[in-house]
Amino acid sequence: MTAAGPLDVERAAAAVAPLLPPALVPLFDARFTRSHALFDEYVYRLTVNVFVEAGLAAAVRDWAGAAEVVARGGLDPRHGAVPVDWMLRHLARRGALARRSADGGPRFRAEGVLDPLETGSLVAQQRAHDAGCLPSYTLAETVARDYPAFLRGERSGEEILFSPARLSLWTGYFSNDNALYAVNNRVGAAALEAWLPAGRGSVLEIGGGLGSATAAALERLAEAGRSGALQAYRFTELVPAFLRRAQRSLERFAGAWPLTFAPLDMNRAFGEQGVDPASATIVYAVNTLHVAHDLAFTLGEIRRALAPGGQLIVSECIRPTPEATLYPEFVFSLLATFRAPRLHAVYRPNGGFLTPEQWTAALEAAGFADVRVLPDIARIRGTVPSFYVAVIGGTRAA
Ligand SMILES: C[S@@+](CC[C@H](N)C(=O)[O-])C[C@H]1O[C@@H](n2cnc3c(N)ncnc32)[C@H](O)[C@@H]1O
């Protein structure tokens, strides 16, 4: 979605509403849709600017594939291969580059002069519309400044994104006040409420980060009158600074909910990290499993941690179609874990986000039954191609 005028967003929100289950309709209203469209345009303009600043406009004067653009631009292929491929496809999607299919992958060419685009007016519009989303802009703009140095191999993405001085970028971004991020937490919370089995459940959350998904989930369960529905909620996270901060920010829930906090690396056996087999009725993860190094391994560990009949509930950014480019990838392609997981020909042909079909195949291959996608992106994408948030659920068969 690129148009962000009031009528366009009203129309887009009205088009998606009938395709959503009623519980999700309020999350994708015109207010959210306008922020989504504004930020999509903002990231597009940043992409043009990074492309020009990194000297890549000259590299597409003649037809070129991603690897040639990386070589012509003098970039480090270990850093540049995935993000440049993304940029080329993203710019072509908007008509800034021509694209044609070829053996060995698509080729691209600039049809005219690529000039830098102004971005300030979009920040001003977002501020007036919903200032809570501004942390997404700050994060993307910070990354854009360092992108050329990253592409040349002078700085790692981990250094750019996770330097201690930049922790505040993440507290603003991973927040339920930031509708652009919180939408994943809210869709996840709705699925958790819907799929939490009757009786008293035991939740294991993976990659809980700064705790925003947990807060959204517990608030939703409380609103639904299900405060007594849990006998345990084990919050886990890999990064110690995130885990400490989450524990502090979730303190307000500790009296009413059986919360515990522990480190957990989803790339290592769960058993050796204190998670017993069949100990969870729900494994919950928001925007985390797509960075698993080996998705099959992590899904196998999750399956083992679940009791028979237990549910895996994963809220994710979903790639609507294999060719689609999503704006969060502009930032997250800097991370090696994001762009270079272990591949699988059927369900992990590339790094980054997965399509609904890839998630379904991955869960089924790991032994999950009754795999479902909420909302049904496969149904929505024909009408709203930029819709990219969903929850995947699967049941551990007995
Ligand atoms: C996009 S964030 C999601 C944060 C959180 N769910 C929230 O909503 O605030 C992804 C999280 O996965 C964590 N992560 C990355 N690699 C991990 C691993 N190997 N094991 C567990 N968590 C990991 C990151 O530290 C980060 O907190």
Side-chain angles (χ1 to χ4, degrees):
M1 181 184 319
T2 51
L7 268 180
D8 297 313
V9 295
E10 290 286 350
R11 250 185 247 123
V16 82
L19 303 171
L20 298 174
L24 301 188
V25 173
L27 305 183
F28 297 95
D29 60 4
R31 181 176 163 84
F32 168 79
T33 305
R34 175 136 200 251
S35 295
H36 177 58
L38 282 170
F39 190 59
D40 192 36
E41 177 66 19
Y42 183 72
V43 170
Y44 165 68
R45 294 190 189 183
L46 289 181
T47 306
V48 171
N49 296 350
V50 166
F51 196 79
V52 172
E53 204 196 319
L56 300 181
V60 285
R61 277 203 200 108
D62 301 321
W63 289 104
E68 281 158 282
V69 173
V70 167
R72 288 180 195 170
L75 306 180
D76 179 341
R78 287 167 309 162
H79 282 189
V82 169
V84 167
D85 178 61
W86 181 87
M87 284 182 201
L88 291 165
R89 289 184 295 116
H90 203 61
L91 298 185
R93 172 167 77 88
R94 292 288 304 270
L97 296 177
R99 168 184 173 141
R100 71 171 189 216
S101 304
D103 293 342
R107 297 175 74 72
F108 303 87
R109 187 175 71 180
E111 299 289 79
V113 180
L114 267 177
D115 282 325
L117 299 171
E118 76 81 31
T119 53
S121 63
L122 292 165
V123 179
Q125 285 181 64
Q126 183 67 66
R127 181 173 290 112
H129 173 63
D130 177 359
C133 295
L134 290 174
S136 288
Y137 289 69
T138 309
L139 177 65
E141 199 269 329
T142 305
V143 164
R145 265 188 271 128
D146 289 337
Y147 232 113
F150 165 76
L151 293 172
R152 289 191 296 267
E154 294 159 12
R155 298 186 61 194
S156 75
E158 289 68 15
E159 202 182 310
I160 291 167
L161 289 175
F162 297 131
S163 69
R166 289 187 169 166
L167 185 61
S168 66
L169 280 180
W170 297 110
T171 49
Y173 179 80
F174 291 134
S175 160
N176 289 318
D177 295 331
N178 175 7
L180 288 170
Y181 183 76
V183 66
N184 271 107
N185 293 340
R186 302 217 164 97
V187 173
L192 190 68
E193 185 205 331
W195 297 340
L196 188 67
R200 300 193 73 215
S202 187
V203 177
L204 167 66
E205 184 179 348
I206 301 174
L210 298 168
S212 68
T214 321
L218 297 182
E219 277 162 9
R220 176 140 195 150
L221 290 178
E223 277 162 23
R226 300 192 66 187
S227 304
L230 300 182
Q231 62 181 12
Y233 194 114
R234 184 183 175 104
F235 177 100
T236 69
E237 162 59 36
L238 174 71
V239 176
F242 285 5
L243 182 61
R244 281 195 299 275
R245 215 170 170 110
Q247 186 158 5
R248 279 207 304 279
S249 80
L250 293 170
E251 238 159 42
R252 65 198 159 102
F253 294 99
W257 297 92
L259 271 169
T260 56
F261 296 84
L264 182 80
D265 180 351
M266 67 179 158
N267 295 329
R268 288 175 40 220
F270 288 13
E272 67 188 41
Q273 301 177 82
V275 177
D276 292 331
S279 59
T281 44
I282 300 269
V283 171
Y284 187 49
V286 177
N287 275 332
T288 293
L289 287 198
H290 62 259
V291 290
H293 173 64
D294 179 345
L295 188 55
F297 171 84
T298 299
L299 289 173
E301 291 305 299
I302 289 171
R303 191 177 177 280
R304 216 180 326 277
L306 281 169
Q311 301 284 321
L312 169 59
I313 302 178
V314 186
S315 178
E316 278 283 343
C317 298
I318 305 282
R319 196 184 299 286
T321 58
E323 274 300 311
T325 49
L326 308 189
Y327 57 63
E329 294 175 302
F330 177 75
V331 168
F332 292 103
S333 291
L334 265 71
L335 297 174
T337 47
F338 184 87
R339 56 178 198 270
R342 182 171 203 164
L343 300 182
H344 182 283
V346 175
Y347 55 78
R348 204 70 174 108
N350 48 259
F353 302 120
L354 289 81
T355 65
E357 288 78 10
Q358 289 162 358
W359 276 115
T360 303
L363 262 67
E364 285 176 354
F368 286 90
D370 184 26
V371 178
R372 58 218 106 102
V373 180
L374 178 93
D376 185 356
I377 299 253
R379 198 170 149 238
I380 295 172
R381 64 191 167 200
T383 310
V384 186
S386 69
F387 194 97
Y388 76 99
V389 178
V391 182
I392 304 100
T395 305
R396 185 201 149 158

